[in-house]
């Protein structure tokens, strides 16, 4: 597709290029524009039918949006601003430099400008920053026929009309009614009799992670958002929540891999930013790994008597680290999904203890067979290595299970806090046990 | 809440207990039942109004569903079966033992039984296993008024009525129309003139991961599913996709932590299962870590001359491992989200190379200052350690960036394949470089 369009553009066959692209879905057009050079992208963008152009605009990256805003006329800007859904506009403005925001706000009406400023002030990642104001508001006294007529008249500008919200004269949320219920109900019944009154809602300052959990728990499609006085201020739709879930999970992946999370995508992030996001934690982990070095140096005598001991250090440390990571990952994920609570700490400890004893015995046993019989090591070394391996696995699994819960309890991020601490603690304990056991068993002073 | 209900039940104040719980949301009732003993749970369940009971049933765990099916009368089973949405019923049947399935199927009509068997035969995690048959089907020739009347008549039994699908006489998908468009359009216009014809759809055998990506890419709420002849067979709604996304991400977390993925939740998984899911990969990783041991033993002479070298092995191996994990996590996540393609391999290599050189130089420099000046090590050891550190970081980042893409290319799972191989390769190379450099720089033979 891209090649075809490019050829047409280079041959200045604009009419044909237009015919090809307007057949596409808006998302695909936006993707295509993202792959073209800026000059060609703007030519294509201006050839789109007005309404398609607005939809395509909403799917472009921020850099491209800025680029287009800078190149089009005021009249074209005004059309985009008028037609863009409110939450898409806020998303866009949040990412733009002040000069561009100014140029855009010039085209909005006074009252809209006040609203925009209010929305731009909600904390990042809060319900307020996710919501849109374009919902259908009904009154209890309306009958179904009136409500449907009202929706028919105003629905075209709403983000969704599938759930309508009922408010009192002070704008307080009283209930909700689905379009489905309206469509299948008798035309003469009052909304007040049909509406659901136990509506699940969020507050403007709730964090997006909490919002996502509400959506998942209650299988919601739309969630109303209220202010401190329980006045309806907006709605959040599930398509925005799918992005939130993906983003939160991506952040957890990044944190657990010791990267400072970033919302920007890998391929479009610069080298310096990538390096900066990674170096902080690498440095912390590197310094904490020097503890292990210090311990080895304290046991230098033991090591010089039996240099062979060094050969098993990587295996012991890796296995301990992996065993701990297994436990901490399960617990961190369970905490993130709300499936493990802080109060479950004793159940987690008991479970990890039993699992680790089973796993530890099997692996230590297997290792003994391998080292003693296959590699022909002497029995003391074999016993030292396998004893340490067992202790390391049990200890790593307990620490891996408990630390994330403690972090959560202290309101620290389990995904960030857990992994470096676990590695440091497990490594240190493993080495101390190893060398102590070695000097005991082999009688080295 | 749980305590209150329990007190009421123990005091046999069933009426009051009923009054308390029917105020709750169905999801919360199901959660409450899950926390009570089976005997109490069944008492409460039978007290629910019939329609609420069906909704609550859909949210119960499979064990509880089986328990309830085993304790209620045939008439009660029939009511649940009649009212349950088709996809919820399939989900339930997929998890139940054959004897229970038989008892349930007894209560379905012949034609329904055939359909159920067809659905149970779709591959697990395919579009077919996710979809429901309860959609609104319209014809091109209908006018808006007829369509709305039809929806009003049949809508109550549909999973969603917000997007309706238009099919020809052979059931082939021709287009879609939203309820929104129906509600805001003129009553006399034909559906054929209003419908969208470029409908995005999936095939019954498409994998759920592909389905989730379609939903995310096109911001869909509902996706129609067709068979090989492009006949409409069902629809998938976004609430099921939210679960899929969560499940796929959880699986990736588990794989990257070297655990065999399991859909069952941590707290309800048995110790033996947990141990089994973890031990396979721990064993593989443990064996691969013995390669490092073999390398250390090959360089035993170097190590016995300068035992101090052992003190830096943990730091070098950890930092290499962490640097590699950072890169592989970003690339694996990018591949999973479809933001990195196999064809991007050269861009990834070039980016990782530059990032790793920056990160490697800074960390090696920092380490030199620390080892040489702070710890007062001799300059040869300091140079050996820092030189190795630099090579390890650059090498780890390249391997971490490339291996997941190669795994994807070979149609292996990047999340499973990448991490053990990366650790093994990086550890081995780091140690070989370390000892070779040491013997070169310090002149040990």
């Amino acid at each position: 597709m891209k090649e075809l369009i490019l050829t047409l553009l280079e041959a200045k066959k604009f009419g044909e290029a237009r015919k090809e692209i307007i057949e596409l879905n808006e998302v695909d057009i936006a993707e295509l524009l993202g792959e073209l050079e800026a000059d060609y992208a703007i030519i294509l963008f201006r050839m789109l039918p007005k309404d398609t152009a607005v939809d395509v605009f909403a799917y472009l990256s921020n850099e491209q949006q800025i680029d287009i805003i800078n190149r089009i006329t005021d009249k074209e800007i005004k059309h985009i601003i008028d037609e863009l859904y409110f939450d898409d506009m806020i998303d866009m403005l949040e990412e733009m430099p002040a000069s561009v925001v100014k140029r855009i706000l010039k085209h909005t009406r006074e009252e809209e400008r006040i609203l925009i400023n209010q929305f731009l002030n909600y904390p990042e990642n809060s319900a307020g920053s996710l919501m849109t104001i374009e919902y259908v508001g009904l009154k209890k006294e309306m009958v179904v026929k009136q409500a449907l007529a009202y929706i028919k008249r105003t629905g075209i500008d709403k983000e969704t009309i599938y759930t309508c919200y009922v408010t009192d004269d002070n704008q307080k949320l009283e209930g909700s009614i689905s379009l489905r219920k309206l469509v299948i109900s008798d035309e003469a019944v009052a909304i007040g009799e049909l509406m659901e009154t136990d509506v699940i809602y969020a507050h403007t300052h709730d964090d997006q992670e909490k919002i996502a959990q509400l959506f998942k728990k209650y299988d919601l499609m739309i969630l109303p958002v209220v202010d401190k006085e329980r006045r309806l201020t907006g709605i959040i739709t599930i398509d925005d929540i799918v992005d939130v879930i993906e983003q939160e999970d991506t952040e957890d992946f990044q944190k657990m891999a010791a990267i400072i999370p970033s919302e920007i995508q890998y391929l479009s992030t610069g080298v310096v930013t990538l390096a900066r996001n990674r170096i902080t934690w690498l440095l912390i982990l590197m310094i904490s790994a020097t503890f292990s070095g210090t311990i080895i140096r304290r046991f230098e005598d033991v090591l010089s008597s039996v240099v062979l001991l060094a050969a098993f250090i990587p295996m012991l440390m890796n296995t301990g680290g992996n065993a701990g990571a297994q436990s901490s990952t399960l617990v961190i994920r369970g905490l993130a999904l709300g499936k493990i609570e802080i109060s479950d700490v004793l159940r987690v400890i008991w479970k990890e203890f039993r699992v680790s004893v089973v796993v530890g015995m099997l692996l230590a046993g297997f290792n003994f067979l391998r080292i003693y019989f296959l590699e022909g090591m002497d029995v003391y070394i074999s016993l030292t290595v396998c004893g340490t391996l067992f202790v390391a696995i049990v200890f790593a699994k307990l620490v891996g299970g408990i630390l994330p819960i403690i972090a959560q309890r202290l309101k620290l991020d389990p995904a960030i806090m857990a992994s470096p601490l676990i590695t440091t603690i497990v490594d240190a304990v493993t080495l101390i046990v190893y060398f102590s056991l070695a000097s005991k068993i082999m009688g080295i002073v």
Side-chain angles (χ1 to χ4, degrees), chain A:
Chain A
M1 195 65 204
K2 189 188 154 193
E3 284 69 36
L4 172 65
I5 299 288
L6 211 55
T7 324
L8 290 174
L9 287 177
E10 278 164 1
K12 299 214 186 299
K13 292 184 178 159
F14 297 127
E16 281 177 49
R18 178 174 192 275
K19 231 166 69 189
E20 289 292 335
I21 59 164
I22 59 175
E23 289 295 311
L24 297 175
N25 182 294
E26 289 85 2
V27 179
D28 295 321
I29 301 179
E31 199 174 273
L32 181 71
L33 291 187
E35 290 170 2
L36 293 177
E37 278 171 57
D39 287 336
Y40 283 138
I42 195 96
I43 293 176
L44 273 189
F45 181 78
R46 297 183 105 157
M47 289 192 310
L48 296 171
K50 271 189 176 180
D51 291 339
T52 313
V54 176
D55 289 340
V56 169
F57 187 82
Y59 285 111
L60 289 174
S61 71
N62 287 120
E63 298 82 53
Q64 280 204 296
Q65 288 179 338
I66 296 176
D67 197 50
I68 284 180
I69 293 276
N70 282 332
R71 287 157 171 255
I72 60 180
T73 66
D74 280 10
K75 204 178 140 208
E76 285 170 312
I77 292 184
K78 186 158 169 33
H79 178 74
I80 289 178
I81 297 304
D82 286 347
E83 295 298 321
L84 220 49
Y85 282 125
F86 194 78
D87 57 341
D88 286 335
M89 176 151 67
I90 297 294
D91 282 353
M92 177 185 85
L93 291 177
E94 274 171 347
E95 301 297 331
M96 298 215 158
S99 61
V100 182
V101 173
K102 230 167 154 183
R103 177 143 185 245
I104 292 173
L105 288 186
K106 220 173 60 190
H107 300 287
T108 55
R109 280 162 299 123
E110 171 77 30
E111 62 221 90
E112 202 176 15
R113 208 145 50 225
I114 295 174
L115 209 52
I116 289 175
N117 277 320
Q118 180 196 334
F119 268 66
L120 288 177
N121 279 326
Y122 286 119
E124 206 189 344
N125 298 339
S126 69
S129 76
L130 282 174
M131 72 189 180
T132 180
I133 46 169
E134 284 135 341
Y135 59 86
V136 178
L138 301 174
K139 294 288 166 201
K140 267 199 297 209
E141 303 75 33
M142 285 177 162
V143 296
V144 169
K145 189 174 180 171
Q146 286 174 307
L148 284 174
Y150 175 76
I151 294 170
K152 187 165 197 150
R153 218 166 54 237
T154 61
I156 187 104
D157 290 326
K158 306 301 182 187
E159 166 108 17
T160 178
I161 60 171
Y162 296 142
T163 303
C164 308
Y165 293 95
V166 184
T167 53
D168 70 8
D169 292 341
N170 293 319
Q171 187 64 8
K172 278 194 189 151
L173 182 63
E174 290 187 310
S176 71
I177 182 162
S178 64
L179 180 60
R180 174 195 200 124
K181 196 148 190 183
L182 286 173
V183 167
I184 63 176
S185 293
D186 189 322
E187 289 194 332
V189 186
I191 302 300
E193 286 174 45
L194 292 173
M195 70 183 189
E196 296 268 345
T197 50
D198 67 334
V199 185
I200 292 173
Y201 58 85
H203 288 97
T204 43
H205 282 70
D206 286 346
D207 185 73
Q208 62 178 10
E209 204 161 343
K210 191 183 156 192
I211 307 288
Q213 285 190 359
L214 282 179
F215 267 89
K216 284 187 283 189
K217 178 167 181 190
Y218 295 105
D219 275 353
L220 303 175
M221 296 292 226
I222 305 160
L223 179 73
V225 182
V226 301
D227 65 12
K228 276 182 226 139
E229 278 81 42
R230 234 196 134 200
R231 285 183 306 223
L232 184 60
T233 50
I235 56 170
I236 298 175
T237 49
I238 193 171
D239 51 317
D240 296 318
I241 290 305
V242 169
D243 298 336
V244 167
I245 293 174
E246 193 176 287
Q247 181 195 331
E248 296 275 342
D249 283 344
T250 300
E251 281 182 13
D252 276 353
F253 274 110
Q254 292 175 335
K255 287 175 198 161
M256 287 164 78
I259 304 168
I260 295 174
S262 141
E263 279 179 36
I264 313 165
Q265 279 152 31
Y266 174 74
L267 284 177
S268 49
T269 312
V271 170
V272 176
T273 315
L274 279 177
R276 204 175 39 220
N277 289 346
R278 297 182 192 185
I279 206 163
T280 318
W281 274 108
L282 273 190
L283 195 62
I284 295 176
L285 291 169
M286 196 178 80
I287 295 174
S288 72
T290 58
F291 280 108
S292 317
T294 317
I295 292 170
I296 294 182
R297 267 199 271 166
R298 269 204 35 218
F299 288 98
E300 216 181 318
D301 309 341
V302 183
L303 197 56
S304 4
S305 334
V306 192
V307 177
L308 253 181
L309 284 176
F312 297 100
I313 292 180
M315 187 272 285
L316 289 172
M317 284 178 49
N318 272 355
T319 309
N322 287 326
Q326 286 183 331
S327 306
S328 64
T329 303
L330 284 180
V331 173
I332 290 170
R333 184 71 182 153
L335 288 167
L337 296 181
K339 308 225 159 128
I340 297 179
E341 309 280 335
I342 293 173
S343 55
D344 291 320
V345 64
L346 288 177
R347 290 174 67 189
V348 171
I349 294 178
W350 177 226
K351 185 154 265 178
E352 285 304 315
F353 178 71
R354 286 175 299 162
V355 172
S356 63
V357 168
V358 174
V359 172
M361 287 208 299
L362 286 172
L363 289 188
F366 172 85
N367 233 333
F368 188 83
L369 295 180
R370 197 179 57 76
I371 299 177
Y372 184 67
F373 291 105
L374 234 74
E375 305 202 0
M377 286 282 157
D378 85 57
V379 68
Y380 299 113
I381 290 191
S382 307
L383 280 179
T384 306
V385 171
C386 296
T388 308
L389 186 66
F390 178 77
V391 175
I393 288 173
V394 173
F395 184 73
K397 287 210 163 291
L398 285 177
V399 173
I402 298 169
L403 261 190
I405 300 184
I406 295 180
Q408 179 97 330
R409 177 79 183 74
L410 299 176
K411 302 212 184 298
L412 299 168
D413 187 332
I416 286 193
M417 283 310 302
S419 86
L421 255 176
I422 292 174
T423 323
T424 312
I425 298 178
V426 171
D427 281 358
V429 169
T430 304
L431 287 172
I432 293 176
V433 170
Y434 187 46
F435 287 117
S436 311
L437 218 59
S439 29
K440 281 264 163 53
I441 292 184
M442 295 190 267
I444 312 161
V445 188

